Amino acid sequence: MSTNGVASDLHPFGAASVGEAPERDDALVSAVVGAVELTGAHTGSVFLLSGDHRSLVVAASCGTPPSLLSGWRRIPVNSRLPVAEAYRRGRMVHLAGAEETMRRFPQLSVALPYPFGSASVPVRAGERTFGTLAVVWTARPDGTGLSRAQRRRLRSAADRLGTALDGLRARGAFGEYDERTPPVVVPLPSAPVIRVGLFDWNLDTGALTADDELCAIFGMPPREFDGRAATLAAMIEPADLPGFRSAARAAVQERHVLAHCLRIRDGRGGHHTVELWGRMPESPDGLEASAHLIGAVLDSGSRMAAVAAIERLADGFFTLSPDGRLAYANHSLETLLRVRLDELLGRRPWDVLPWLADPVYEDRYRAALVSQQPVSFLVRHPSDKWLVFSLHPGAQGMTGWAAPVRQPVPAETGPGAILTEGGPPASWSPPPAAPRVGSLYRVLTLGSALTEAVTAHEVFEAVAEQLLPAFGGQKLAITVVEERRLRLLDQRGYSKHFLARFEGTPLHARLPVTDALTSGAPLFVESREELLETYPGIMVSPSNSWAFLPLIASNRPVGVCLLGFDDVHRFPDEERGVLTALGGLIAQALERARLYDAEFALARGLQNALLPHRLPTLPGLGVTGRYLPGTRGMDIGGDWYDVIPTGDEVALIVGDVEGHNVAAAAAMGQLRSAVRAFATAGHRPSDVVANTNRLHMDLDPALLASCCYARLHPRSGVVRIVRAGHLPPLLRLPDGQAEILDVPGGPLLGIDAAAHFPETELRLVPGSVLALYTDGLIERRDSDIGSDVDRLRASLARMGGGGLEDLADALLRSACRSADRVDDIALLLTECAPPPRTRTKPTCAHAGSGPTP
């Protein structure tokens, strides 16, 4: 029989359902179960990349209960979670225990404040990354994680899965996988609880066909069994045989099911009890069948005795499935909790008993489940009696014990107080406001991302990156309130033509977006029919479900966040609560960002007014300048540059006032005006800088400044340079070499009114490029200034093959790639007698941040 035929036969409907890929599912199950066994973990999961490449979605899980999967069903690719980081970085993220998890992923530790270790490894094949394979294990006392061999085996398992998935993809057998595809959930491998042996017994001839398991139950090697019922009967306790034979004959004659208990001797003077079940087979073609039984022997070992023993105890004992549902409870628990067992079995206790509904109790269960460590805690019964609960987790579920507290409990004891060995109850209660850890993590993650968002558009990007993949939405739009009307801030997934029709909507219009804002309550619409019923005639987008979140900060309407779903989406109560909370976070961040945008526009306007709007066109020279702010909000830098024609010569100046505030900008404006006045008056370069220094001192400066001033004669190439505490200029020669000009300098401006500023004269050959700049262009953290200047020199030599504009853009791009840059940048490049070339408009993405020639 072919593999496809087997798969078809196994399916309950005889054929694979839509979207099902049996080979893919088999590969996922094999990988996740193998990862757990290889590493000794108690949980393993495979996350695959969603179709829109924005999320990692749980595709298979081993040992993880569905109740925990729901909170982590989708993980944004850009989130700060080990699973996402392993996918992005392409290498394993190994967290030995709680301490390392807290240090590297603090938000995860807040959402899951339990001791555990984890490892996440990318699932790849060649250049393609399909997702991540992750395992979780019980934290070890010595703080160690997986061994090198275990990590190597885990990487191998992920690589094998990647190769298998890539092969399926190439053959078109990968199937349709997206976040709507339900995950494959498999239990942890374990030894069977009950052994079952099968038989076919002909009562007329005494012949008996038995499988290997039945022989093992009777303590006989399968190859030694001779196929006779008498051989097995010899292993049965003699006193049980007459009653069993009588029951078997009655079952055959009356054609009913045989159910009988037998004691099997073990050869050491002892015995164990088994159950035998059998029935008469249906006779073919209505013919009378021979007298024989087919059935099974069930050996529960000592488990039935254990259950009987537990039933005799006065304290309550129970078992919970990995999903937290009550699988067994003795009758003493029924008496202790004062509730019928049929009301509890198959359900979570905290969902049934109101006095166990405090989230702190569920958190105790979750702590034991995730950490796989026992936990004992106190519960207050409505009768004002205290009960002690103890949970002992294992691979297949959890065993619990409950009993009355027989000693006084301190009055200040709170619900869920943990019992410490040899001491009083210790209160350890994580915030009970978030009933699910996945929900708490979403709030923390978006809150963290919003704290880093400065502008309104950065707020939108943070919301889009976190909200869409976390809740499975496909469309997002944020509108803001301006003059009692809604204006679109930004959108993702919608057509611009559709949203343009709602631009400028007044707040009094009857639309879901305005109703949510004016009422202050979020609006959740789960179907198009529901939307059209409430708002007849409304223009409907291609979505099928919507969440309209009002953004209100300080009791003022800020805007509306609209989340759209392509498919019908149900909003459970918990999800509605989380989205409502996130709406408040978004509103606060958006209000702050809009204030920043206004401040930034004002600051940039003031700073641009102090810088030259256009550089002069000079015969025989090519000149270009760049300014790039490194400040935010009302912080204004003091960097500047200027080009001043002075008859046959031209004055070039780059300066830097310390600080980033209005005072720095004011001092910069004064110095620029002073240099321009003294240069235009025809003073020597050294006198220009000296006079500027004295004027700066006369104005009682609170800030120091540096500058590099040069006067260049284009026809001769003679340049005279003066430095006042500033970085040395650089010179790129026509042959491509670049050098640092050794120009003596004086002190910073504003230190000594009588300071002397030496003047150095050089001659530039045609085609040379003189570079004046401020320290924002070169400074790097943990690097000395000499190395920084030399790195710029090397960049000037390497990038100078094109035009002057391209060179300026390239130098700025190189500086902007550094994550350490926090200072302003001023750059002035001058090319002496450049060869003829077509001048191009600046293409640097940053050139628009400040004036360009």
Side-chain angles (χ1 to χ4, degrees):
M1 183 179 293
S2 69
T3 303
N4 291 336
V6 172
S8 177
D9 291 342
L10 290 176
H11 195 277
F13 298 104
S17 60
V18 175
E20 184 178 343
E23 290 184 84
R24 180 199 65 209
D25 294 343
D26 291 348
L28 292 173
V29 170
S30 176
V32 74
V33 172
V36 169
E37 292 179 334
L38 291 171
T39 60
H42 61 76
T43 290
S45 299
V46 175
F47 295 80
L48 294 183
L49 187 65
S50 62
D52 58 12
H53 290 197
R54 294 187 310 207
S55 308
L56 293 167
V57 186
V58 176
S61 185
C62 175
T64 306
S67 60
L68 279 185
L69 281 181
S70 61
W72 307 98
R73 180 77 173 94
R74 291 181 297 268
I75 294 178
V77 168
N78 293 325
S79 65
R80 295 179 180 177
L81 274 175
V83 168
E85 182 167 318
Y87 173 82
R88 293 194 307 269
R89 296 173 60 187
R91 59 176 181 267
M92 178 183 291
V93 176
H94 178 259
L95 304 172
E99 182 177 344
E100 188 174 3
T101 303
M102 172 62 78
R103 185 176 69 254
R104 297 177 57 185
F105 298 91
Q107 293 172 351
L108 177 61
S109 292
V110 173
L112 290 172
Y114 319 119
F116 64 90
S118 67
S120 303
V121 60
V123 176
R124 296 180 299 183
E127 298 298 320
R128 181 183 297 271
T129 303
F130 288 92
T132 308
L133 173 63
V135 293
V136 176
W137 61 85
T138 304
R140 298 162 185 167
D142 58 2
T144 59
L146 300 181
S147 66
R148 287 187 177 181
Q150 287 174 319
R151 278 179 271 179
R152 184 173 61 252
R153 289 194 290 265
L154 182 60
R155 280 191 289 264
S156 298
D159 291 342
R160 287 194 298 271
L161 175 59
T163 301
L165 295 180
D166 194 51
L168 293 174
R169 182 193 60 82
R171 292 190 289 109
F174 187 77
E176 297 179 2
Y177 186 85
D178 58 28
E179 52 198 53
R180 293 169 295 182
T181 306
V184 180
V185 181
V186 294
L188 285 170
S190 65
V193 175
I194 297 177
R195 294 193 298 172
V196 179
L198 304 178
F199 67 85
D200 186 334
W201 179 20
N202 189 317
L203 275 69
D204 292 336
T205 65
L208 189 144
T209 303
D211 66 357
D212 292 351
E213 192 66 29
L214 187 138
C215 293
I217 291 173
F218 276 78
M220 180 178 295
R223 60 178 175 274
E224 295 182 9
F225 178 53
D226 56 8
R228 297 172 56 248
T231 303
L232 297 181
M235 307 298 296
I236 299 176
E237 188 73 24
D240 294 349
L241 281 173
F244 169 65
R245 289 175 176 143
S246 177
R249 287 192 294 269
V252 170
Q253 294 170 1
E254 300 173 13
R255 305 186 68 83
H256 64 70
V257 174
L258 169 67
H260 203 84
C261 288
L262 297 170
R263 290 176 293 172
I264 307 296
R265 293 185 294 176
D266 58 12
R268 301 188 303 273
H271 63 261
H272 64 280
T273 302
V274 300
E275 294 180 62
L276 187 146
W277 293 74
R279 66 175 178 83
M280 284 278 292
E282 296 292 335
S283 58
D285 302 325
L287 299 177
E288 184 175 351
S290 60
H292 72 113
L293 293 171
I294 58 173
V297 173
L298 283 68
D299 180 12
S300 60
S302 60
R303 291 173 180 82
M304 296 303 297
V307 171
I310 291 175
E311 288 292 341
R312 290 190 290 268
L313 296 177
D315 292 336
F317 285 86
F318 57 93
T319 60
L320 297 174
S321 68
D323 204 21
R325 300 180 186 276
L326 200 73
Y328 164 78
N330 67 351
H331 285 83
S332 295
L333 184 72
E334 183 178 38
T335 304
L336 191 66
L337 302 185
R338 301 180 185 180
V339 61
R340 296 200 319 271
L341 289 184
D342 58 1
E343 297 179 20
L344 281 176
L345 292 175
R347 304 178 67 185
R348 299 181 182 92
W350 49 85
D351 291 338
V352 178
L353 303 175
W355 49 277
L356 281 178
D358 191 320
V360 72
Y361 298 132
E362 184 183 355
D363 190 82
R364 298 295 179 263
Y365 156 77
R366 190 182 296 115
L369 183 69
V370 175
S371 68
Q372 289 290 291
Q373 295 180 0
V375 61
S376 298
F377 54 94
L378 296 179
V379 174
R380 191 163 192 167
H381 192 273
S383 64
D384 285 338
K385 293 183 179 180
W386 286 92
L387 306 177
V388 57
F389 277 74
S390 185
L391 302 178
H392 298 261
Q396 305 302 321
M398 195 173 302
T399 299
W401 165 75
V405 176
R406 297 179 176 86
Q407 60 192 41
V409 176
E412 66 275 11
T413 301
I418 290 183
L419 294 182
T420 56
E421 189 173 349
S427 181
W428 178 71
S429 300
R436 296 291 185 271
V437 290
S439 303
L440 175 60
Y441 181 79
R442 287 169 182 165
V443 175
L444 290 171
T445 301
L446 182 58
S448 176
L450 291 176
T451 60
E452 299 177 4
V454 177
T455 68
H457 284 282
E458 287 178 358
V459 169
F460 175 83
E461 289 299 322
V463 174
E465 291 298 324
Q466 298 297 328
L467 215 60
L468 286 176
F471 292 92
Q474 289 76 38
K475 297 177 176 64
L476 178 74
I478 291 183
T479 62
V480 295
V481 178
E482 293 181 0
E483 299 179 350
R484 303 286 300 169
R485 291 180 179 273
L486 291 178
R487 306 289 183 185
L488 179 66
L489 170 65
D490 210 338
Q491 64 86 26
R492 183 174 292 183
Y494 284 101
S495 83
K496 294 182 180 180
H497 176 70
F498 175 79
L499 292 178
R501 302 179 184 182
F502 299 95
E503 183 69 8
T505 299
L507 296 187
H508 59 75
R510 190 171 186 275
L511 293 170
V513 64
T514 52
D515 284 357
L517 184 59
T518 54
S519 68
L523 178 61
F524 300 98
V525 182
E526 297 183 341
S527 68
R528 297 169 70 91
E529 293 75 18
E530 181 182 345
L531 181 68
L532 292 172
E533 181 180 351
T534 309
Y535 300 92
I538 189 175
M539 185 181 303
V540 182
S541 72
S543 302
N544 280 286
S545 297
W546 301 264
F548 301 90
L549 307 179
L551 307 180
I552 299 175
S554 303
N555 295 321
R556 294 193 314 106
V558 176
V560 179
C561 177
L562 169 58
L563 185 61
F565 299 82
D566 289 346
D567 297 323
V568 173
H569 182 85
R570 303 303 177 190
F571 298 94
D573 291 342
E574 180 185 343
E575 189 169 285
R576 294 182 181 219
V578 173
L579 285 170
T580 302
L582 294 179
L585 292 178
I586 297 169
Q588 295 291 338
L590 188 58
E591 178 78 347
R592 183 189 68 245
R594 294 183 71 191
L595 290 174
Y596 165 80
D597 286 342
E599 292 179 354
F600 183 82
L602 179 61
R604 291 287 81 81
L606 174 60
Q607 190 156 38
N608 290 340
L610 297 172
L611 290 168
H613 291 266
R614 181 176 299 175
L615 297 182
T617 300
L618 304 167
L621 285 182
V623 183
T624 188
R626 295 288 187 274
Y627 174 78
L628 188 65
T631 54
R632 291 189 162 190
M634 286 301 294
D635 291 338
I636 304 175
D639 291 18
W640 90 94
Y641 64 88
D642 206 353
V643 178
I644 310 163
T646 58
D648 294 337
E649 296 182 315
V650 60
L652 310 167
I653 177 77
V654 164
D656 184 1
V657 179
E658 67 174 340
H660 296 91
N661 47 41
V662 175
M668 178 264 280
Q670 292 170 345
L671 291 174
R672 178 173 177 252
S673 298
V675 170
R676 179 169 281 271
F678 292 131
T680 305
H683 292 277
R684 291 176 56 86
S686 57
D687 293 336
V688 170
V689 177
N691 292 338
T692 301
N693 177 56
R694 283 192 291 271
L695 178 62
H696 192 48
M697 295 289 293
D698 290 342
L699 294 175
D700 190 21
L703 301 173
L704 302 177
S706 70
C707 73
C708 184
Y709 178 86
R711 177 168 287 191
L712 174 63
H713 191 279
R715 287 199 301 272
S716 65
V718 173
V719 61
R720 288 169 289 171
I721 302 174
V722 178
R723 286 196 307 127
H726 202 80
L727 296 168
L730 301 179
L731 182 66
R732 184 181 188 277
L733 301 174
D735 61 3
Q737 297 185 42
E739 59 184 55
I740 303 170
L741 296 181
D742 185 14
V743 179
L748 291 166
L749 304 179
I751 291 180
D752 181 8
H756 172 66
F757 297 92
E759 182 179 307
T760 302
E761 181 175 309
L762 302 169
R763 183 179 297 274
L764 306 184
V765 298
S768 300
V769 176
L770 180 67
L772 307 181
Y773 56 94
T774 57
D775 55 5
L777 186 65
I778 63 168
E779 284 187 339
R780 301 291 185 273
R781 190 177 301 160
D782 301 327
S783 179
D784 64 274
I785 195 69
S787 299
D788 294 336
V789 173
D790 190 63
R791 185 167 52 248
L792 178 61
R793 178 202 61 76
S795 297
L796 183 65
R798 185 177 66 255
M799 300 175 179
L804 204 61
E805 303 289 351
D806 293 337
L807 176 58
D809 292 344
L811 292 175
L812 251 66
R813 280 196 298 268
S814 178
C816 292
R817 281 195 291 267
S818 171
D820 299 335
R821 187 186 75 84
V822 294
D823 205 356
D824 298 355
I825 294 175
L827 172 67
L828 185 63
L829 298 180
T830 305
E831 189 173 17
C832 186
R837 61 167 59 95
T838 301
R839 298 182 64 80
T840 59
K841 185 178 179 180
T843 57
C844 176
H846 309 286
S849 299
T852 57

